Amino acid sequence: MARDPIGRKKRRRLRREVGFGCPVEDCRVPFLEYHHFDPPYNEGEMHNEDGMIALCPIHHRQADQRAWSIEDLREMKRANNRGEPKGKLGWSIDKGIVISGGNYFFSTSLTMRIKGKELFKLEQDHKGKILVNALLWNNKKEIIAEIKNNDMLINHMRVEDIDCMASGKEILFKAPDDSNHVRIRFERQPIEECLSKAKNTLDESIVENVLSDIKERVDSGMVNVIEFSTAIKEDDFTFHAGDSKITFDFRKAGLDKAEYYGRAHGVNGALNIAQKDGKELIYLGK
Ligand SMILES: [Zn+2]
């Protein structure tokens, strides 16, 4: 069986149809699964979009028990004037590592700022649990989706896509016009896997330090890993934190070819890029 039998585009249309939140009245949870009701999956094993609807895991189970008629579900698909999706990250972590663009961060306070806007920020609550903050803006610089101390606030009319895995492990916010996105993944990784990934990614000069920092954060043989990736297009530069590196491209700013490759600033290193007039452009650090 294919790994994605429904298909990426169909899933996205089904999410968009319900405004990126469970359509059952007063629910609006953005962690969605895909329910087959016409025909039910065990009768048809087909992915007929008209007979499918995105639901949160709880309402998906209830729909499997035929809590709603086919006509009820069709009506839920058609409804408009939906409220904003409401969700919360359920992670409860007090120690872990953050990986972004191939950089390893071991501090539980971390900020990534682009022109004064806090793209990504980790803080701790009074019990020492990590709180996630993130922002997504569109090309008019309007904030269209946000995570505020683990609470998700989404302007569903303005975003291109919100894809929250039902397991809660991965969240993607995407702005229209193929411009900006932010993706946050959470995983409890076996220590061996975590160490071997670090060995494969990092420069020799820092790898030993990173490995020992990772080992300090082991909990029952596992390490909590938060991965943050993003692409931001500003008028004068682009910022990209992918799987293995952080890249800035200032060619639009008139520079011939100025790309900064991450990792050079090392573990927990702060990065601070300013405009000529001293105004902060990009900040990455505590
Ligand atoms: Zn629901």
Side-chain angles (χ1 to χ4, degrees):
M1 201 213 250
R3 279 185 66 196
D4 182 5
I6 297 172
R8 199 170 53 90
K9 285 184 181 161
K10 203 179 278 183
R11 282 188 288 112
R12 184 191 286 191
R13 284 197 298 267
L14 288 165
R15 286 194 293 277
R16 176 178 280 282
E17 176 182 72
V18 296
F20 307 106
C22 178
V24 173
E25 215 182 335
D26 296 330
C27 180
R28 304 306 286 140
V29 164
F31 299 95
L32 296 175
E33 297 179 335
Y34 304 90
H35 174 58
H36 300 71
F37 62 91
D38 190 16
Y41 191 61
N42 55 10
E43 289 171 25
E45 287 201 29
M46 55 194 279
H47 308 291
N48 164 33
E49 208 171 321
D50 292 338
M52 293 175 70
I53 188 166
L55 295 170
C56 75
I58 291 172
H59 289 127
H60 190 185
R61 299 297 171 277
Q62 294 179 4
D64 280 338
Q65 301 303 315
R66 313 286 164 100
W68 297 280
S69 69
I70 288 179
E71 201 32 58
D72 289 340
L73 292 164
R74 288 203 190 286
E75 207 165 293
M76 277 187 218
K77 277 169 78 74
R78 281 194 300 263
N80 40 35
N81 297 326
R82 301 181 196 276
E84 300 294 359
K86 286 189 293 267
K88 199 175 178 68
L89 300 183
W91 319 335
S92 177
I93 316 166
D94 48 17
K95 63 177 174 183
I97 63 174
V98 181
I99 306 176
S100 186
N103 289 267
Y104 282 65
F105 301 95
F106 298 98
S107 168
T108 41
S109 62
L110 174 70
T111 301
M112 199 180 272
R113 217 161 39 221
I114 306 278
K115 288 189 172 172
K117 289 199 280 293
E118 281 173 343
L119 179 64
F120 182 64
K121 187 176 183 180
L122 290 184
E123 291 178 300
Q124 282 180 296
D125 70 7
H126 63 285
K127 289 181 187 159
K129 302 284 186 190
I130 291 173
L131 297 170
V132 177
N133 293 273
L135 282 184
L136 177 72
W137 56 90
N138 61 14
N139 52 15
K140 296 188 190 101
K141 316 281 179 280
E142 298 158 328
I143 305 292
I144 53 174
E146 186 173 356
I147 302 175
K148 209 170 188 175
N149 293 336
N150 292 358
D151 281 323
M152 295 159 63
L153 309 160
I154 296 158
N155 186 334
H156 71 277
M157 303 297 282
R158 310 291 281 278
V159 292
E160 174 69 21
D161 195 13
I162 297 289
D163 190 2
C164 302
M165 277 172 58
S167 65
K169 275 186 166 183
E170 184 170 326
I171 284 161
L172 168 74
F173 289 176
K174 208 163 183 250
D177 306 319
D178 201 23
S179 56
N180 302 339
H181 77 255
V182 300
R183 185 193 299 272
I184 304 173
R185 270 182 63 80
F186 169 67
E187 193 180 3
R188 258 176 89 73
Q189 254 173 29
I191 176 72
E192 298 77 20
E193 187 186 329
C194 189
L195 292 174
S196 90
K197 274 189 186 166
K199 274 184 210 162
N200 292 334
T201 322
L202 295 167
D203 296 335
E204 233 168 69
S205 58
I206 54 168
V207 71
E208 285 309 320
N209 286 338
V210 173
L211 296 184
S212 73
D213 277 336
I214 292 174
K215 284 175 197 161
E216 274 175 31
R217 283 156 182 82
V218 184
D219 170 24
S220 316
M222 308 291 271
V223 183
N224 296 317
V225 179
I226 297 171
E227 283 176 12
F228 179 73
S229 59
T230 186
I232 300 292
K233 285 183 190 162
E234 289 291 311
D235 298 333
D236 41 5
F237 68 93
T238 62
F239 174 80
H240 185 252
D243 288 339
S244 60
K245 65 183 179 189
I246 289 181
T247 315
F248 313 102
D249 189 334
F250 292 100
R251 273 174 285 188
K252 274 193 186 167
L255 297 169
D256 182 27
K257 181 177 166 66
E259 289 192 341
Y260 174 90
Y261 292 96
R263 285 192 263 157
H265 60 288
V267 187
N268 273 348
L271 172 76
N272 199 344
I273 298 181
Q275 291 173 178
K276 271 185 188 153
D277 61 5
K279 227 173 160 190
E280 180 186 286
L281 273 184
I282 299 166
Y283 174 85
L284 180 55
K286 286 184 186 178

